[in-house]
């Protein structure tokens, strides 16, 4: 597709129509990562689906079954950003539905956080990297405009970054996750906290004081307390 045609997406006329409106042409998504997707492109996170499902801004589009956009409440106060879909997620088109997802649900439930009410879940990249490898910097960059739109639309009070890829992908933070997990940080005026990835906890099952699982328990309580505090003052 010619880049002129792709750029038509960003004509003011196109912007003024929701994606589901007659005339919406998902085939006009910018297929090159060099073409930006400006803030304000989408009116709801649902509108990302037809684009992400047809996206070839990076090579991951060639091997995906489904793009994986979101799960949970698009108005939730907490957004959780993972690394990228695995096999289960790719098959079902939903983030964190495999073993890591089951553990994540348990962690959230332990402080009475409910995914359908309090939490919105997504990933740094929307398509599964083959063999579950880490997404490359180029793949993260190609997908980032979608994530930025999700953040803008959900407008979460708290962003939780699970694992180093998510931390580095959004914040550009190079310090290791073990060093800075549990620290409150600010990004673009938003409150963020890096936390361990559930897959890491599955590989480290000890619950002893100071173990990764124990640290996660401290972190998630901290998050719940902060949310209660925010809710009490707003
Ligand atoms: N791991 C992730 O980072 N994201 C998912 O959606 C599933 C597993």
């Amino acid at each position: 597709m010619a880049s002129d045609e792709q750029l038509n997406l960003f004509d003011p006329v196109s912007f003024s129509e929701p994606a589901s409106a007659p005339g919406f042409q998902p085939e006009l998504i910018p297929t090159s990562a060099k073409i930006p997707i400006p803030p304000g492109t989408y009116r709801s996170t649902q509108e990302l689906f037809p684009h992400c499902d047809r996206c070839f801004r990076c090579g991951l589009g060639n091997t995906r079954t489904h793009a994986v956009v979101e799960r949970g409440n698009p108005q939730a106060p907490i957004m959780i950003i993972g690394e990228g879909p695995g096999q289960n997620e790719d098959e079902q088109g939903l983030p964190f539905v495999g073993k890591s997802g089951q553990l994540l649900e348990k962690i959230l439930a332990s402080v009475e956080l409910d995914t359908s009410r309090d939490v919105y879940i997504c990933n740094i990249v929307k398509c599964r990297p083959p063999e579950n490898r880490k997404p490359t910097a180029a793949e993260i960059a190609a997908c980032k405009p979608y994530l930025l739109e999700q953040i803008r639309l959900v407008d979460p009070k708290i962003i939780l970054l699970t694992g180093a890829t998510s931390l580095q992908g959004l914040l550009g933070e190079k310090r290791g996750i073990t060093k800075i997990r549990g620290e409150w940080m600010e990004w673009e005026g938003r409150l963020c906290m890096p936390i361990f990835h559930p897959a890491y906890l599955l590989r480290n099952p000890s619950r002893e004081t100071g173990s990764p699982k124990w640290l996660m328990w401290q972190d998630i309580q901290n998050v719940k307390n902060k949310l209660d505090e925010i809710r009490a003052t707003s």
Side-chain angles (χ1 to χ4, degrees), residues 68 71 81-90 94-101 121-125 162 166 197-199:
V68 174
R71 181 161 83 78
I81 306 178
E83 175 175 309
Q87 184 180 351
N88 292 297
E89 290 77 18
D90 174 68
L94 292 167
F96 280 103
V97 288
K99 286 222 168 82
S100 290
I121 305 179
C122 61
N123 280 307
I124 281 281
V125 294
T162 61
S166 165
H197 194 287

Side-chain angles (χ1 to χ4, degrees), residues 72-232:
N73 175 8
Q75 270 106 44
I78 298 178
M79 176 185 265
I80 299 181
I81 306 178
E83 175 175 309
Q87 184 180 351
N88 292 297
E89 290 77 18
D90 174 68
E91 284 168 8
Q92 294 183 44
L94 292 167
F96 280 103
V97 288
K99 286 222 168 82
S100 290
Q102 285 163 20
L103 179 56
L104 182 62
E105 290 289 339
K106 277 195 177 173
I107 293 165
L108 295 170
S110 73
V111 288
E112 292 174 357
L113 290 173
D114 182 336
T115 331
S116 60
R117 182 191 58 206
D118 307 307
V119 181
Y120 177 88
I121 305 179
C122 61
N123 280 307
I124 281 281
V125 294
K126 308 291 178 251
C127 300
R128 182 190 181 195
E131 315 299 330
N132 297 340
R133 65 164 170 74
K134 284 193 184 309
T136 65
E139 288 159 356
I140 292 172
C143 211
K144 198 160 179 179
Y146 295 128
L147 179 65
L148 296 179
E149 280 292 81
Q150 285 175 296
I151 296 172
R152 181 183 67 79
L153 289 160
V154 176
D155 194 18
K157 303 274 184 267
I158 295 172
I159 298 179
L160 300 180
L161 299 149
T162 61
T165 307
S166 165
L167 175 63
Q168 193 169 345
L170 186 67
L171 270 59
E173 174 64 64
K174 296 229 167 72
R175 283 179 295 165
I177 189 87
T178 45
K179 286 226 168 68
I180 58 171
R181 56 124 280 282
E183 270 184 34
W184 287 111
M185 308 184 155
E186 206 190 292
W187 170 82
E188 305 271 324
R190 295 181 189 278
L191 202 51
C192 302
M193 184 194 279
I195 56 172
F196 285 133
H197 194 287
Y200 178 69
L201 302 180
L202 289 171
R203 295 194 297 273
N204 293 276
S206 163
R207 292 158 180 245
E208 272 172 36
T209 307
S211 67
K213 266 197 170 165
W214 182 86
L215 291 169
M216 175 62 108
W217 172 233
Q218 313 309 307
D219 295 348
I220 202 66
Q221 289 179 88
N222 193 348
V223 168
K224 179 60 168 30
N225 290 339
K226 180 65 79 180
L227 179 64
D228 290 346
E229 213 177 288
I230 292 170
R231 279 179 165 156

Side-chain angles (χ1 to χ4, degrees), residues 23-44:
F24 172 64
Q25 294 172 285
E27 66 278 12
L28 293 187
I29 61 169
T31 54
S32 162
K34 291 193 185 124
I35 302 176
I37 299 175
T41 297
Y42 302 102
R43 292 186 172 193
S44 74

